[in-house]
Amino acid sequence: MIAIEFILAGMLAAATPFLLAALGELVAERSGVLNLGVEGMMALGASVGFITVYSGGGHVMGFVFGALSGMALALVFAFVTLGLHTNQVASGLAIGIMGLGLSAYFGKPFESFTVTGLGKIAIPGLSDFPVIGGLFRQDIVVWLSLIFTPALWYVLKHTKLGLLLRAVGENPHAASAIGYPVILIRLSAVAFGGLMAGIAGAYASTIYTPLWADGMIAGRGWIAVALVVFGTWMVGRVFLGACLFGAVSLGGIAAQTVGLAVPSQLLASMPYIVTIVVLGIISSNRRLVKLNGIASLGEPFEK
Amino acid sequence: MTEPLLSLRGVTKRYGPVHANTGVDLDVRAGEIHAILGENGAGKSTLMKLIYGVETPDEGTIAWQGELTQIGSPASARRLGIGMVFQHFSLFETLTVVENVSLLVPGTKKALTKRIVQLGQEFGLEVDPLAYVYALSVGERQRVEIIRCLMADPKLLILDEPTSVLPPQSVELLFDTLRRLSARGVAILFISHKLEEIRSICTHATILRGGTVTGNVTPQDFDAHALATMMIGRDMPHLSPAEAVQRGANQLEISGLTLGTDDPFGVSLKNIFMHVAEGEILGIAGVSGNGQSELAAAISGETALPKSMRDVIAMLGQDVGAMNPATRRKLGFAFVPEDRLGQGAVPELSLVKNSILTAHRHGMVKKGMIRHGRAAAFAKACIAQNDVRTPGPAAEAGSLSGGNLQKFIIGRELMLAPKLLFLNQPTWGVDIGAATAIRRRLIELRNAGCAILVISEELEELFELTDYMQVLSEGRLSPRFKTSETVPEDIGRAMIGAGEGAA
């Protein structure tokens, strides 16, 4: 019972870095660009955000600078892939590694330092319930993410902007033929993706675990990329996926505290194992993947 | 006479040393259905691109409603009131009809939906505005394209080979729409190489050959033969009529093939029966997207059949359900796929290397090493025998024109002396001269005793070529028609009827 309470209370916060980065990547992929540099963009956002908060800039500025640094790296990626038509996979990997390197370089003087996180905002009444009460005591960023997720869904599903994004992702040549600026739309989508990755990183380093350690992102950017596919490019499913991974990663800790005789390394690898299993199950439904999939994903566009 | 809506004078367009259009004059008046008639490569597409603002002319002038103008982009063409329906549609498959329209036309979804329905009723262009494009038939997609143009209230509508993708019944519907538009005063430019259609609907025809205008006629005043002579500059080549050949053994037999698909854009095959005997050409008619690709992949061996279906395909006397394409080829089966660049040939490789891909068994490989001399000799012979126009066997496949590459690919397969030959859309996008040459070679091969199966969208081609026909519609195959005792209307009915279940 305590384990369940623990998981419910922490699940959303654990899911938030996954969720924010994955939603950014979803937008980029919807436009037809596969950005594999998310891990590096998160790491850079995490170190820049942490340094800002540690230096007394406050959390708001931490997020602003974290977001801008993620976006800056995404713009480098956009320049080489969209401007110079390089291979998106190779460029994404290279720029991701560059982001990890930069974050380590900037973060070196701050290794193992800590900052103060943010307090939780509880919903009166609901948060007093036994067991599930913890679900309603979250920090401000979690609450904002919960508002942002359906808003993004609405934009993608019901606005001209979302329509345009889908059109560019499916058939950039046709979109260009009827007069839309394909490159500019893709550039904006990638920039948005980097911005979200930066915010996700800053959340991880200044609120979720408010300390800086090199390598602290620990593959969360990769999980975010996987989540987008796992969610078949649909916002609702990406949200559910993020919650699942949040819950599984807490499950590992919970299992250790109740003294389950399972090696901690196995528990720590659970989220990744679950990723692979779930990806396999989802991808076996070819119909779903093809209907929601993005026809031009990863292909460079030249007029 | 009224003043022309659109008037071209001395329009010339060059691509390097190639003159695509030379000194073209063209007048189009309101309410006229004006055909641009010409073979592939005669400069029709270039001319349309100049009018729609995709390209700009090197010389000459374009006047719109009496005023000289420059059409710099498709957007400025649309502003003038020029709309274009492309041969290969520019629709987004994963979006709905109304979403597709809304990307080009301002307005709320609700208002657009209403107008789509309204225009549909007015011009016989009925289509469900909320349907997803991938679920629509080719004819419906064309209607969406036309509606999208009509939304902007055009004065001139350009249609590029609009009937090449339609079954006969839809062609009549389209013509009905065009007549209604012309009655409203909309001018229509109708690009085609199909003579009978032009005679039945167009009020004027401008004939292009080699980039210059060779005729400006009223099509009803000439018969198809005379129009064809103007179009290709010499008499129409005639096919030797198919001689009756002694019926031989079945070289291909499919008995009850049912094959599902997990591709949402694909078509399931339902209880397919067919057979092709020695010395016989069987044609599969029908509009693309009714299971053609799925059937082709099952016959070629690209699709691995489920265990229960392993014994329904026999080829050259053997069950081939469990064999892959290479093993089937070893038996004496040859296959010319629909997609020339990618399946039929590797565009980046030379013609010599492309020969090795399917002809390697003919002495080109020894102990795993390629014998380049033999391969080169093969490619050279193939080029010579099939009148392939190319600098030589070292040319990259992708550098050949569609017609020449197709002649090479078919020639390559013919040189393997197949006992069973299967061709998918053999003359798609091939000019009339090359197409006739290809058909003539197929008839020769059939007379020599080969069993030939042809999938084609071109009904005229099937009527010229085949002994028997079957119609593929929504994954179902009709019973056999004997070509000599069949008229196009029968086939047209089967294109619809076969889809209505096993009635």
Side-chain angles (χ1 to χ4, degrees):
Chain A
M1 211 54 186
I2 291 165
I4 291 174
E5 206 175 330
F6 171 72
I7 291 170
L8 281 180
M11 180 179 80
L12 286 175
T16 297
F18 296 124
L19 177 68
L20 293 177
L23 291 180
E25 177 68 3
L26 184 145
V27 168
E29 289 193 17
R30 268 265 163 245
S31 81
V33 184
L34 180 65
N35 177 4
L36 293 183
V38 176
E39 175 82 5
M41 293 169 196
M42 275 181 86
L44 188 61
S47 74
V48 170
F50 180 84
I51 293 165
T52 308
V53 175
Y54 187 82
S55 316
H59 277 94
V60 173
M61 289 323 280
F63 277 107
V64 169
F65 286 118
L68 287 178
S69 64
M71 188 165 84
L73 202 54
L75 285 174
V76 176
F77 172 75
F79 172 71
V80 295
T81 54
L82 302 173
L84 308 176
H85 308 294
T86 58
N87 180 293
Q88 291 178 8
V89 172
S91 310
L93 290 174
I95 283 167
I97 292 166
M98 186 171 107
L100 289 173
L102 285 175
S103 74
Y105 172 70
F106 291 147
K108 189 77 188 158
F110 302 89
E111 187 70 31
S112 304
F113 290 6
T114 57
V115 293
T116 319
L118 282 185
K120 310 224 163 176
I121 301 170
I123 295 181
L126 287 173
S127 55
D128 299 332
F129 273 102
V131 186
I132 61 161
L135 208 49
F136 302 97
R137 273 189 302 273
Q138 304 291 348
D139 61 66
I140 179 82
V141 178
V142 173
W143 290 125
L144 288 177
S145 305
L146 290 178
I147 297 168
F148 175 76
T149 304
L152 181 70
W153 169 83
Y154 182 84
V155 168
L156 288 177
K157 183 89 184 168
H158 291 291
T159 66
K160 177 91 178 243
L161 188 66
L163 193 61
L164 200 54
L165 205 61
R166 273 189 287 157
V168 166
E170 185 200 314
N171 191 343
H173 293 283
S176 165
I178 58 178
Y180 286 109
V182 171
I183 297 291
L184 186 68
I185 292 167
R186 288 190 163 182
L187 179 98
S188 316
V190 170
F192 178 78
L195 187 100
M196 294 298 289
I199 292 176
Y203 177 78
S205 70
T206 66
I207 295 179
Y208 186 61
T209 45
L211 67 89
W212 174 253
D214 187 20
M216 66 170 295
I217 294 302
R220 275 184 275 208
W222 290 110
I223 296 284
V225 173
L227 271 174
V228 176
V229 183
F230 158 35
T232 56
W233 297 277
M234 287 154 88
V235 172
R237 291 183 182 196
V238 168
F239 175 75
L240 289 179
C243 289
L244 173 67
F245 293 119
V248 173
S249 49
L250 289 181
I253 303 168
Q256 274 172 315
T257 50
V258 299
L260 225 63
V262 180
S264 67
Q265 289 87 348
L266 183 67
L267 288 172
S269 58
M270 274 314 285
Y272 306 95
I273 294 169
V274 171
T275 311
I276 293 169
V277 171
V278 176
L279 266 179
I281 293 169
I282 293 284
S283 304
S284 65
N285 187 344
R286 270 185 56 198
R287 193 181 163 81
L288 192 72
V289 172
K290 187 133 188 189
L291 266 181
N292 288 299
I294 293 139
S296 76
L297 187 61
E299 283 173 23
F301 170 75
E302 279 176 90
K303 274 196 182 172
Chain B
M1 240 180 170
T2 53
E3 191 187 10
L5 183 67
L6 174 76
S7 184
L8 274 63
R9 285 292 170 271
V11 166
T12 297
K13 178 72 190 176
R14 284 178 290 262
Y15 296 102
V18 181
H19 288 243
N21 287 137
T22 314
V24 172
D25 293 348
L26 176 70
D27 283 318
V28 185
R29 290 183 171 74
E32 152 181 306
I33 304 183
H34 193 124
I36 303 290
L37 179 60
E39 283 193 81
N40 286 330
K44 290 175 297 186
S45 306
T46 306
L47 190 60
M48 294 312 119
K49 282 183 189 163
L50 295 175
I51 296 172
Y52 195 56
V54 182
E55 304 268 6
T56 46
D58 297 326
E59 284 165 35
T61 59
I62 298 177
W64 178 253
Q65 295 179 311
E67 278 175 44
L68 283 186
T69 178
Q70 304 271 346
I71 305 175
S73 69
S76 58
R78 282 199 296 268
R79 269 197 298 278
L80 289 175
I82 302 174
M84 179 149 178
V85 176
F86 292 93
Q87 185 178 4
H88 301 290
F89 306 136
S90 55
L91 297 175
F92 300 96
E93 296 210 334
T94 56
L95 306 185
T96 64
V97 171
V98 64
E99 284 174 337
N100 265 283
V101 169
S102 73
L103 280 171
L104 205 59
V105 186
T108 63
K109 258 188 197 177
K110 216 171 145 191
L112 290 175
T113 306
K114 217 172 131 192
R115 277 207 71 198
I116 291 171
V117 173
Q118 196 185 338
L119 279 171
Q121 283 162 355
E122 205 170 327
F123 294 104
L125 293 162
E126 262 132 52
V127 61
D128 175 7
L130 300 178
Y132 281 93
V133 168
Y134 70 81
L136 300 182
S137 72
V138 185
E140 287 171 315
R141 288 180 196 205
Q142 189 177 54
R143 277 177 236 158
V144 177
E145 286 258 349
I146 296 176
I147 288 174
R148 202 164 67 167
C149 287
L150 293 184
M151 286 276 194
D153 215 1
K155 298 186 180 72
L156 173 68
L157 189 61
I158 305 171
L159 295 122
D160 187 6
E161 304 258 357
T163 61
S164 61
V165 291
L166 297 179
Q169 283 77 359
S170 305
V171 170
E172 265 317 308
L173 286 177
L174 171 69
F175 284 2
D176 182 48
T177 301
L178 296 185
R179 287 193 190 102
R180 288 197 218 182
L181 283 170
S182 124
R184 295 283 182 93
V186 178
I188 291 163
L189 265 176
F190 186 94
I191 306 170
S192 183
H193 61 259
K194 293 188 181 171
L195 308 164
E196 285 305 333
E197 284 178 358
I198 284 172
R199 292 187 63 238
S200 79
I201 184 166
C202 295
T203 50
H204 292 77
T206 296
I207 298 164
L208 282 181
R209 191 202 316 149
T212 55
V213 175
T214 57
N216 205 323
V217 301
T218 304
Q220 284 80 11
D221 296 347
F222 295 87
D223 63 13
H225 186 77
L227 287 175
T229 310
M230 278 184 246
M231 181 168 88
I232 63 176
R234 57 194 143 85
D235 259 352
M236 272 282 269
H238 277 281
L239 280 175
S240 52
E243 308 154 34
V245 171
Q246 196 75 47
R247 213 180 122 44
N250 280 344
Q251 300 290 49
L252 173 68
E253 202 160 356
I254 299 180
S255 33
L257 173 66
T258 297
L259 194 57
T261 174
D262 47 10
D263 179 349
F265 305 123
V267 176
S268 304
L269 298 173
K270 294 155 198 128
N271 203 22
I272 302 276
F273 280 86
M274 68 156 88
H275 57 88
V276 193
E278 290 175 304
E280 172 177 295
I281 302 183
L282 172 68
I284 305 293
V287 175
S288 277
N290 273 289
Q292 276 83 351
S293 335
E294 290 79 5
L295 181 62
I299 294 174
S300 72
E302 285 160 80
T303 304
L305 297 179
K307 284 230 163 58
S308 59
M309 285 288 144
R310 288 279 162 84
D311 52 353
V312 302
I313 298 190
M315 211 175 256
L316 304 157
Q318 290 195 42
D319 274 345
V320 296
M323 292 184 186
N324 64 25
T327 324
R328 294 184 194 198
R329 277 179 175 275
K330 248 183 229 167
L331 298 175
F333 167 68
F335 172 43
V336 177
E338 178 182 13
D339 181 14
R340 282 189 280 276
L341 293 170
Q343 267 190 295
V346 183
E348 295 83 12
L349 294 185
S350 69
L351 294 180
V352 175
K353 290 197 170 130
N354 270 295
S355 306
I356 299 170
L357 290 179
T358 68
H360 53 83
R361 229 168 271 114
H362 292 242
M364 289 185 198
V365 179
K366 193 178 180 187
K367 293 184 183 154
M369 305 299 273
I370 293 169
R371 300 163 85 178
H372 282 281
R374 291 234 179 165
F378 180 96
K380 221 180 238 173
C382 182
I383 289 166
Q385 285 172 26
N386 297 286
D387 185 28
V388 180
R389 312 228 173 109
T390 161
E396 278 184 19
S399 71
L400 271 63
S401 75
N404 278 309
L405 183 58
Q406 188 71 353
K407 281 196 276 186
F408 180 83
I409 294 170
I410 293 179
R412 177 184 74 190
E413 299 306 318
L414 294 188
M415 282 175 77
L416 307 178
K419 293 187 208 112
L420 172 64
L421 176 63
F422 171 34
L423 307 101
N424 193 359
Q425 314 287 4
T427 61
W428 188 83
V430 172
D431 65 77
I432 196 169
T436 313
I438 289 171
R439 288 173 203 156
R440 191 178 297 142
R441 296 229 44 196
L442 293 180
I443 288 176
E444 280 168 21
L445 192 68
R446 154 197 177 272
N447 293 345
C450 181
I452 302 179
L453 175 66
V454 181
I455 294 183
S456 177
E457 275 190 313
E458 296 253 4
L459 263 188
E460 287 171 40
E461 167 169 87
L462 292 176
F463 271 96
E464 271 180 43
L465 197 62
T466 62
D467 299 295
Y468 296 95
M469 272 193 248
Q470 283 176 277
V471 181
L472 190 59
S473 166
E474 291 179 24
R476 292 190 177 83
L477 200 58
S478 76
R480 255 176 176 234
F481 292 90
K482 193 167 172 136
T483 307
S484 56
E485 296 162 7
T486 308
V487 290
E489 286 69 32
D490 296 337
I491 303 295
R493 266 194 294 279
M495 282 185 187
I496 297 168
E500 287 171 355

